Amino acid sequence: MLAAMSQSLALRRPDDWHLHLRDGAMLAAVLPFTARQFARAIIMPNLVPPVTTVAAAAAYRRRILAALPRGAEFTPLMTCYLTDATDPEELARGHREGVFTAAKLYPAHATTNSAHGVTDLARIEPVLERMARIGMPLLVHGEVTEPGVDVFDREAVFIERVLAPLHRRLPELKIVLEHATTEEAVAFVSACGPTVAATITAHHLVINRNAIFAGGLRPHLYCLPIAKRETHRLALRRAAASGDPHFFLGTDSAPHPVTAKESACGCAGIFTAPAALEIYAQVFEEEGALDRLEAFASLNGPRFYGLPPNEARIALRRRSWRVPERVAAGEAWIVPFLAGEEVLWAIA
Ligand code: DOR
Ligand code: ZN
């Protein structure tokens, strides 16, 4: 048990079960922020062009390993970007050969670089059946894309129209509802058995939708799924802090050049890697649940994925510091989440 006002905290090294690393100069700039805190991460495949083959994923993994700072201990876990044309054979081979840890479902046009995503789940039914059979997790961007559905309702509608029927049809298929943002998501996932889980980002634990409009339009708080009203944020905090094994850490850290964010049509994505674990620790402290941070950050994810938890440990201290105003990425700049603001926990 932890004292009421803990000043330090040691846990098994955590993993990030949802991460965008990009490529090239951006990859080189952002990877050290993740590797300093996380032992492993599930790497999103929404590059341009997307990572759809075993060869492309193996090559991307090599580029990530080559970009690691010297001495860093970090394992990228690769994913396959599903399209209407995904070949179940290729997918199963990638899984068998240890290249693909999981596959990512982007409904076509749901978010950044999802144009090649799946237009209708019916088209990949053989893929889904194969994944269920071999125990390969399906990672879901859970939003419908119909323009007629309100952007704040897209996750709840997806759960009702797509996710719940999929789980009823293939109850043995392992599904992660990525970046859950609603109380509907929390209720659905908690009520499922052990084959369904959800990741929760740091930013969705901190901001509600008001923050996006506080005093003006805040492009650096825009992501998809978009932050919802306060009741949803509170439901996410309760779920994360509950210790329930259905919920685990996935930052969805998603860097974009500042010029692409501060634009007439700014793109979705929040770059949390510079302070991710520290922000989660602050949230868990606020929830009086620091003793459950390790379950959320370091144990529930590996258990779901059937991987051992990390043996190495990481220490956090209650010491305030400021998130950098900006981070250089080649010629570009990236503005992190909570740029210039104080965070109360630091990695020791
Ligand atoms: O906000 C987001 N950014 N949501 C996503 O689903 C994709 C991500 C990105 O790649 O930038
Ligand atoms: Zn993402």
Side-chain angles (χ1 to χ4, degrees):
M1 282 299 291
L2 285 142
M5 266 300 280
S6 284
Q7 296 301 312
S8 66
L9 185 60
L11 38 147
R12 281 178 190 262
R13 264 190 98 202
D15 305 298
D16 185 350
W17 298 99
H18 184 125
L19 175 67
H20 299 268
L21 284 179
R22 317 301 190 201
D23 216 337
M26 185 70 98
L27 165 64
V30 303
L31 179 59
F33 291 103
T34 287
R36 89 201 151 91
Q37 56 191 317
F38 298 112
R40 297 170 287 200
I42 287 277
I43 310 301
M44 287 297 128
N46 61 333
L47 303 182
V48 186
V51 179
T52 56
T53 64
V54 182
Y60 185 29
R61 181 165 63 184
R62 283 193 295 274
R63 296 197 297 280
I64 294 168
L65 293 173
L68 274 174
R70 187 186 300 275
E73 302 248 0
F74 175 76
T75 305
L77 304 173
M78 311 309 290
T79 59
C80 178
Y81 181 116
L82 296 177
T83 73
D84 287 353
T86 299
D87 172 13
E89 273 318 313
E90 169 88 359
L91 191 68
R93 178 172 73 83
H95 187 60
R96 199 167 56 237
E97 293 177 0
V99 178
F100 291 143
T101 297
K104 177 70 189 267
L105 170 67
Y106 286 107
H109 306 292
T111 186
T112 308
N113 301 335
S114 63
H116 302 278
V118 174
T119 60
D120 182 349
L121 270 198
R123 299 193 183 222
I124 60 162
E125 195 62 25
V127 169
L128 299 173
E129 286 169 11
R130 184 66 170 268
M131 291 177 66
R133 221 171 327 127
I134 63 178
M136 181 176 189
L138 176 74
L139 316 183
V140 179
H141 184 106
E143 290 192 287
V144 294
T145 56
E146 285 93 320
V149 178
D150 190 281
V151 68
F152 294 98
D153 296 336
R154 286 179 188 176
E155 182 176 280
V157 172
F158 182 91
I159 292 167
E160 188 186 311
R161 291 192 195 159
V162 184
L163 195 58
L166 171 64
H167 178 54
R168 277 197 295 275
R169 207 160 67 241
L170 285 172
E172 67 284 17
L173 176 64
K174 284 185 168 188
I175 301 174
V176 183
L177 176 60
E178 299 292 344
H179 38 53
T181 61
T182 57
E183 55 192 354
E184 287 87 348
V186 169
F188 173 77
V189 171
S190 324
C192 288
T195 55
V196 178
T199 53
I200 303 180
T201 74
H203 49 281
H204 288 112
L205 294 171
V206 173
I207 60 163
N208 62 28
R209 66 190 194 180
N210 277 356
I212 306 167
F213 308 103
L217 188 57
R218 307 270 176 180
H220 299 290
L221 300 182
Y222 174 58
C223 66
L224 289 170
I226 195 161
K228 308 298 193 294
R229 59 170 75 232
E230 178 67 357
T231 48
H232 298 286
R233 184 182 76 99
L234 297 177
L236 296 172
R237 288 171 76 106
R238 282 193 299 273
S242 69
D244 181 338
H246 286 100
F247 301 99
F248 44 84
L249 187 159
T251 64
D252 196 17
S253 181
H256 289 280
V258 65
T259 47
K261 296 285 293 174
E262 298 177 6
S263 146
C265 187
C267 46
I270 298 182
F271 178 47
T272 45
L277 185 60
E278 297 90 332
I279 295 170
Y280 283 112
Q282 187 166 325
V283 167
F284 274 67
E285 180 183 44
E286 287 160 4
E287 293 294 313
L290 275 177
D291 57 337
R292 303 208 181 119
L293 179 61
E294 186 175 49
F296 178 76
S298 317
L299 301 175
N300 297 348
R303 182 198 297 183
F304 180 86
Y305 275 86
L307 295 168
N310 299 305
E311 287 301 333
R313 298 179 77 77
I314 191 167
L316 288 153
R317 283 207 205 310
R318 203 171 189 294
R319 174 170 59 73
S320 87
W321 60 288
R322 269 181 206 286
V323 179
E325 296 279 357
R326 54 184 195 166
V327 166
E331 311 277 89
W333 292 96
I334 321 165
V335 176
F337 183 56
L338 302 184
E341 291 187 42
E342 214 176 46
V343 174
L344 299 181
W345 286 83
I347 293 175

PDB file of all heavy atoms in Angstrom, residues 285-301:
ATOM      1  N   GLU A 285      -2.991   9.891  -9.211  1.00  0.00           N
ATOM      2  CA  GLU A 285      -2.892  10.506  -7.884  1.00  0.00           C
ATOM      3  C   GLU A 285      -4.175  11.269  -7.560  1.00  0.00           C
ATOM      4  O   GLU A 285      -4.731  11.142  -6.465  1.00  0.00           O
ATOM      5  CB  GLU A 285      -1.684  11.456  -7.815  1.00  0.00           C
ATOM      6  CG  GLU A 285      -1.567  12.111  -6.449  1.00  0.00           C
ATOM      7  CD  GLU A 285      -0.425  13.110  -6.363  1.00  0.00           C
ATOM      8  OE1 GLU A 285      -0.248  13.906  -7.300  1.00  0.00           O
ATOM      9  OE2 GLU A 285       0.282  13.077  -5.348  1.00  0.00           O
ATOM     10  N   GLU A 286      -4.653  12.040  -8.534  1.00  0.00           N
ATOM     11  CA  GLU A 286      -5.894  12.797  -8.315  1.00  0.00           C
ATOM     12  C   GLU A 286      -7.063  11.864  -8.011  1.00  0.00           C
ATOM     13  O   GLU A 286      -7.984  12.220  -7.262  1.00  0.00           O
ATOM     14  CB  GLU A 286      -6.214  13.658  -9.544  1.00  0.00           C
ATOM     15  CG  GLU A 286      -5.288  14.858  -9.694  1.00  0.00           C
ATOM     16  CD  GLU A 286      -5.247  15.445 -11.119  1.00  0.00           C
ATOM     17  OE1 GLU A 286      -6.012  14.964 -11.990  1.00  0.00           O
ATOM     18  OE2 GLU A 286      -4.439  16.355 -11.353  1.00  0.00           O
ATOM     19  N   GLU A 287      -7.029  10.683  -8.590  1.00  0.00           N
ATOM     20  CA  GLU A 287      -8.104   9.706  -8.358  1.00  0.00           C
ATOM     21  C   GLU A 287      -7.868   8.894  -7.088  1.00  0.00           C
ATOM     22  O   GLU A 287      -8.647   7.981  -6.790  1.00  0.00           O
ATOM     23  CB  GLU A 287      -8.203   8.751  -9.555  1.00  0.00           C
ATOM     24  CG  GLU A 287      -8.681   9.417 -10.833  1.00  0.00           C
ATOM     25  CD  GLU A 287     -10.126   9.911 -10.750  1.00  0.00           C
ATOM     26  OE1 GLU A 287     -11.000   9.151 -10.301  1.00  0.00           O
ATOM     27  OE2 GLU A 287     -10.359  11.080 -11.108  1.00  0.00           O
ATOM     28  N   GLY A 288      -6.781   9.159  -6.382  1.00  0.00           N
ATOM     29  CA  GLY A 288      -6.466   8.382  -5.177  1.00  0.00           C
ATOM     30  C   GLY A 288      -6.155   6.935  -5.510  1.00  0.00           C
ATOM     31  O   GLY A 288      -6.452   6.022  -4.730  1.00  0.00           O
ATOM     32  N   ALA A 289      -5.557   6.706  -6.676  1.00  0.00           N
ATOM     33  CA  ALA A 289      -5.394   5.333  -7.157  1.00  0.00           C
ATOM     34  C   ALA A 289      -3.964   5.057  -7.631  1.00  0.00           C
ATOM     35  O   ALA A 289      -3.755   4.225  -8.515  1.00  0.00           O
ATOM     36  CB  ALA A 289      -6.385   5.069  -8.295  1.00  0.00           C
ATOM     37  N   LEU A 290      -2.980   5.726  -7.049  1.00  0.00           N
ATOM     38  CA  LEU A 290      -1.596   5.488  -7.487  1.00  0.00           C
ATOM     39  C   LEU A 290      -1.220   4.016  -7.374  1.00  0.00           C
ATOM     40  O   LEU A 290      -0.414   3.510  -8.161  1.00  0.00           O
ATOM     41  CB  LEU A 290      -0.621   6.332  -6.652  1.00  0.00           C
ATOM     42  CG  LEU A 290      -0.403   7.767  -7.133  1.00  0.00           C
ATOM     43  CD1 LEU A 290       0.533   8.496  -6.178  1.00  0.00           C
ATOM     44  CD2 LEU A 290       0.137   7.809  -8.564  1.00  0.00           C
ATOM     45  N   ASP A 291      -1.840   3.317  -6.423  1.00  0.00           N
ATOM     46  CA  ASP A 291      -1.525   1.890  -6.265  1.00  0.00           C
ATOM     47  C   ASP A 291      -2.100   1.050  -7.402  1.00  0.00           C
ATOM     48  O   ASP A 291      -1.809  -0.140  -7.485  1.00  0.00           O
ATOM     49  CB  ASP A 291      -2.017   1.387  -4.899  1.00  0.00           C
ATOM     50  CG  ASP A 291      -3.508   1.602  -4.698  1.00  0.00           C
ATOM     51  OD1 ASP A 291      -4.091   2.494  -5.361  1.00  0.00           O
ATOM     52  OD2 ASP A 291      -4.097   0.876  -3.883  1.00  0.00           O
ATOM     53  N   ARG A 292      -2.905   1.652  -8.275  1.00  0.00           N
ATOM     54  CA  ARG A 292      -3.447   0.894  -9.421  1.00  0.00           C
ATOM     55  C   ARG A 292      -2.799   1.302 -10.741  1.00  0.00           C
ATOM     56  O   ARG A 292      -3.129   0.760 -11.788  1.00  0.00           O
ATOM     57  CB  ARG A 292      -4.950   1.099  -9.522  1.00  0.00           C
ATOM     58  CG  ARG A 292      -5.648   0.693  -8.237  1.00  0.00           C
ATOM     59  CD  ARG A 292      -7.083   0.242  -8.479  1.00  0.00           C
ATOM     60  NE  ARG A 292      -7.661  -0.090  -7.192  1.00  0.00           N
ATOM     61  CZ  ARG A 292      -8.727   0.518  -6.667  1.00  0.00           C
ATOM     62  NH1 ARG A 292      -9.372   1.436  -7.364  1.00  0.00           N
ATOM     63  NH2 ARG A 292      -9.164   0.173  -5.483  1.00  0.00           N
ATOM     64  N   LEU A 293      -1.865   2.245 -10.676  1.00  0.00           N
ATOM     65  CA  LEU A 293      -1.218   2.686 -11.919  1.00  0.00           C
ATOM     66  C   LEU A 293      -0.473   1.528 -12.586  1.00  0.00           C
ATOM     67  O   LEU A 293      -0.482   1.387 -13.811  1.00  0.00           O
ATOM     68  CB  LEU A 293      -0.259   3.849 -11.627  1.00  0.00           C
ATOM     69  CG  LEU A 293       0.507   4.400 -12.828  1.00  0.00           C
ATOM     70  CD1 LEU A 293      -0.452   4.958 -13.889  1.00  0.00           C
ATOM     71  CD2 LEU A 293       1.495   5.490 -12.392  1.00  0.00           C
ATOM     72  N   GLU A 294       0.159   0.687 -11.790  1.00  0.00           N
ATOM     73  CA  GLU A 294       0.937  -0.400 -12.383  1.00  0.00           C
ATOM     74  C   GLU A 294       0.052  -1.391 -13.141  1.00  0.00           C
ATOM     75  O   GLU A 294       0.431  -1.877 -14.213  1.00  0.00           O
ATOM     76  CB  GLU A 294       1.747  -1.136 -11.311  1.00  0.00           C
ATOM     77  CG  GLU A 294       2.679  -2.176 -11.915  1.00  0.00           C
ATOM     78  CD  GLU A 294       3.571  -2.835 -10.875  1.00  0.00           C
ATOM     79  OE1 GLU A 294       3.037  -3.274  -9.819  1.00  0.00           O
ATOM     80  OE2 GLU A 294       4.788  -2.928 -11.115  1.00  0.00           O
ATOM     81  N   ALA A 295      -1.126  -1.670 -12.604  1.00  0.00           N
ATOM     82  CA  ALA A 295      -2.046  -2.578 -13.312  1.00  0.00           C
ATOM     83  C   ALA A 295      -2.393  -1.983 -14.669  1.00  0.00           C
ATOM     84  O   ALA A 295      -2.322  -2.652 -15.709  1.00  0.00           O
ATOM     85  CB  ALA A 295      -3.309  -2.813 -12.484  1.00  0.00           C
ATOM     86  N   PHE A 296      -2.765  -0.715 -14.679  1.00  0.00           N
ATOM     87  CA  PHE A 296      -3.190  -0.042 -15.908  1.00  0.00           C
ATOM     88  C   PHE A 296      -2.043   0.106 -16.906  1.00  0.00           C
ATOM     89  O   PHE A 296      -2.201  -0.093 -18.113  1.00  0.00           O
ATOM     90  CB  PHE A 296      -3.747   1.338 -15.542  1.00  0.00           C
ATOM     91  CG  PHE A 296      -4.177   2.167 -16.710  1.00  0.00           C
ATOM     92  CD1 PHE A 296      -5.365   1.896 -17.375  1.00  0.00           C
ATOM     93  CD2 PHE A 296      -3.389   3.230 -17.151  1.00  0.00           C
ATOM     94  CE1 PHE A 296      -5.769   2.674 -18.456  1.00  0.00           C
ATOM     95  CE2 PHE A 296      -3.785   4.005 -18.230  1.00  0.00           C
ATOM     96  CZ  PHE A 296      -4.979   3.725 -18.884  1.00  0.00           C
ATOM     97  N   ALA A 297      -0.871   0.473 -16.412  1.00  0.00           N
ATOM     98  CA  ALA A 297       0.238   0.833 -17.295  1.00  0.00           C
ATOM     99  C   ALA A 297       1.130  -0.353 -17.661  1.00  0.00           C
ATOM    100  O   ALA A 297       1.757  -0.355 -18.727  1.00  0.00           O
ATOM    101  CB  ALA A 297       1.092   1.918 -16.629  1.00  0.00           C
ATOM    102  N   SER A 298       1.203  -1.354 -16.788  1.00  0.00           N
ATOM    103  CA  SER A 298       2.250  -2.371 -16.957  1.00  0.00           C
ATOM    104  C   SER A 298       1.769  -3.809 -16.911  1.00  0.00           C
ATOM    105  O   SER A 298       2.545  -4.707 -17.248  1.00  0.00           O
ATOM    106  CB  SER A 298       3.315  -2.190 -15.861  1.00  0.00           C
ATOM    107  OG  SER A 298       3.635  -0.834 -15.679  1.00  0.00           O
ATOM    108  N   LEU A 299       0.554  -4.068 -16.468  1.00  0.00           N
ATOM    109  CA  LEU A 299       0.116  -5.458 -16.293  1.00  0.00           C
ATOM    110  C   LEU A 299      -1.074  -5.853 -17.169  1.00  0.00           C
ATOM    111  O   LEU A 299      -1.077  -6.925 -17.778  1.00  0.00           O
ATOM    112  CB  LEU A 299      -0.252  -5.715 -14.818  1.00  0.00           C
ATOM    113  CG  LEU A 299       0.871  -5.484 -13.802  1.00  0.00           C
ATOM    114  CD1 LEU A 299       0.336  -5.649 -12.376  1.00  0.00           C
ATOM    115  CD2 LEU A 299       2.032  -6.436 -14.050  1.00  0.00           C
ATOM    116  N   ASN A 300      -2.094  -5.010 -17.239  1.00  0.00           N
ATOM    117  CA  ASN A 300      -3.314  -5.399 -17.958  1.00  0.00           C
ATOM    118  C   ASN A 300      -3.077  -5.582 -19.456  1.00  0.00           C
ATOM    119  O   ASN A 300      -3.660  -6.486 -20.068  1.00  0.00           O
ATOM    120  CB  ASN A 300      -4.427  -4.370 -17.734  1.00  0.00           C
ATOM    121  CG  ASN A 300      -4.852  -4.278 -16.272  1.00  0.00           C
ATOM    122  OD1 ASN A 300      -4.490  -5.126 -15.469  1.00  0.00           O
ATOM    123  ND2 ASN A 300      -5.609  -3.248 -15.934  1.00  0.00           N
ATOM    124  N   GLY A 301      -2.242  -4.738 -20.028  1.00  0.00           N
ATOM    125  CA  GLY A 301      -1.959  -4.835 -21.466  1.00  0.00           C
ATOM    126  C   GLY A 301      -1.265  -6.138 -21.826  1.00  0.00           C
ATOM    127  O   GLY A 301      -1.743  -6.898 -22.675  1.00  0.00           O
TER     128      GLY A 301
END
